[in-house]
Structures are given as structure tokens and as C-alpha cells.
Amino acid sequence: IAENPETCFALLIGVDEYETLGKLEYASSDAKALRDALLDIGFCRENIALCVSDGPRQTLPTKKNIDSAIDEILDAAAKAGKKSTIFIAFAGHGFEMADGDAAFCPQDAAVKWENKRQTVIRDTVVVINDLTARLREHPAKFKILLVDACRELADARGGNDELEGFQGNIN
């Protein structure tokens, strides 16, 4: 149970509809279910941002909206002080980029072919290592990052080689 709900902040992202990638079935409903669970343990509704495919246009899970929501939650938690909690969760498609970094795909992620493999353009995705670096530097006491996404490469023949999901520690 959240000890001080005013210092608990969450950003929940669920992407079912993509411009260039396959449709998913449950990412948005997973984000909404997680919101309901956080409300049940004491998070304040006004401190939970939800970016889902079936949400209002201004909060759709586009790269621009996700980046803005991340900035807003980190700023709000910083203003709340060192005892704040940050909870960020992603549900949707993911890729391993050419340099090996894990990436979460917003609904408008751009896909390209490189060395006979399908990959995403870096500035159109959320790079997980970049986000974890920001979280490590943040003064919040508790930081939770949950990524429910595949991490795959697709070859030119159209087959998929799934890789292990991202596992990391943001201490």
C-alpha cells in the first residue's frame, strides 16, 4: 500500500495499434488493469498518466506523447522529493536495435531494413537503456520500470528470431 499517495507517480503505456508494425490484442487493456491495481494500493488517480491506443488523441502512445509524459512524471516526482515513487510500465512491441540496445515501439515507430534485418529508427522509439540511465540519476527513492514487450529481429525472408526479453537493474 502506498504510504504517501501524493508522492507516487505512474506512467502506463499500452500500444495495440501501430502504423508500421502488427496489431496487438491486450497491451492497452494490460495498462488499464495496471492502473486499476495501482489505484487499489493507494496511488492517486491524478498522478497516473495513461497512454493507450484507444485513449484520447492527446494521450495516444506516440513517441512525442510518451517522451512528454516521461518528462512530466520525472519532473513531478523530483518536485515531490526524495521519498517519491516512480512506476513506469510499457506494453507493446519491442526490438533489439542494430547496436544491441532494447527499444520499446510507440505506435508511430519507424521501421527500416539494415543488413538484411528489420530494425527501428532510434529516434522514433523509447530506448530502454536511455530511460534506465535517467531513472538511475533521478532522486526518487523507489523507481520501477516494467517492460512487457518482445525483443526481436526479423530477417529478410520474413521469419522471426525471438531473443530473450530485456532484463535489467536500475538500482
Side-chain angles (χ1 to χ4, degrees):
I1 295 178
E3 286 184 29
N4 188 353
E6 293 78 31
T7 63
C8 296
F9 302 89
L11 171 58
L12 312 173
I13 297 140
V15 188
D16 293 320
E17 304 282 335
Y18 285 90
E19 295 174 10
T20 58
L21 298 167
K23 183 178 178 170
L24 296 174
E25 298 273 333
Y26 304 107
S28 291
S29 60
D30 288 349
K32 291 174 189 174
L34 192 50
R35 175 202 54 205
D36 294 344
L38 292 175
L39 290 170
D40 286 347
I41 64 166
F43 274 62
C44 295
R45 185 174 295 275
E46 57 272 8
N47 289 351
I48 299 174
L50 188 66
C51 294
V52 292
S53 293
D54 60 350
R57 184 171 185 216
Q58 65 271 19
T59 62
L60 288 175
T62 63
K63 171 69 168 148
K64 180 181 176 184
N65 289 346
I66 292 171
D67 285 347
S68 292
I70 289 170
D71 290 343
E72 288 174 21
I73 191 174
L74 295 180
D75 288 347
K79 289 175 185 169
K82 292 182 179 182
K83 293 187 177 184
S84 61
T85 296
I86 298 170
F87 188 102
I88 300 175
F90 294 96
H93 281 301
F95 269 86
E96 180 170 336
M97 297 188 321
D99 62 5
D101 279 347
F104 178 80
C105 298
Q107 78 176 30
D108 56 349
V111 178
K112 67 178 179 177
W113 287 91
E114 187 174 277
N115 299 325
K116 299 182 182 180
R117 293 205 178 253
Q118 187 179 31
T119 188
V120 290
I121 297 172
R122 186 178 197 89
D123 63 358
T124 69
V125 297
V126 177
V127 179
I128 301 302
N129 287 343
D130 294 348
L131 180 54
T132 58
R134 288 183 73 186
L135 289 171
R136 275 189 200 100
E137 295 172 3
H138 197 280
K141 183 174 183 178
F142 298 107
K143 305 158 209 173
I144 302 145
L145 175 61
L146 174 66
V147 181
D148 179 8
C150 55
R151 184 174 166 186
E152 60 183 86
L153 297 168
D155 66 27
R157 295 183 305 273
N160 289 326
D161 295 323
E162 286 201 25
L163 302 175
E164 288 184 37
F166 172 76
Q167 295 179 10
N169 182 347
I170 59 172
N171 289 334

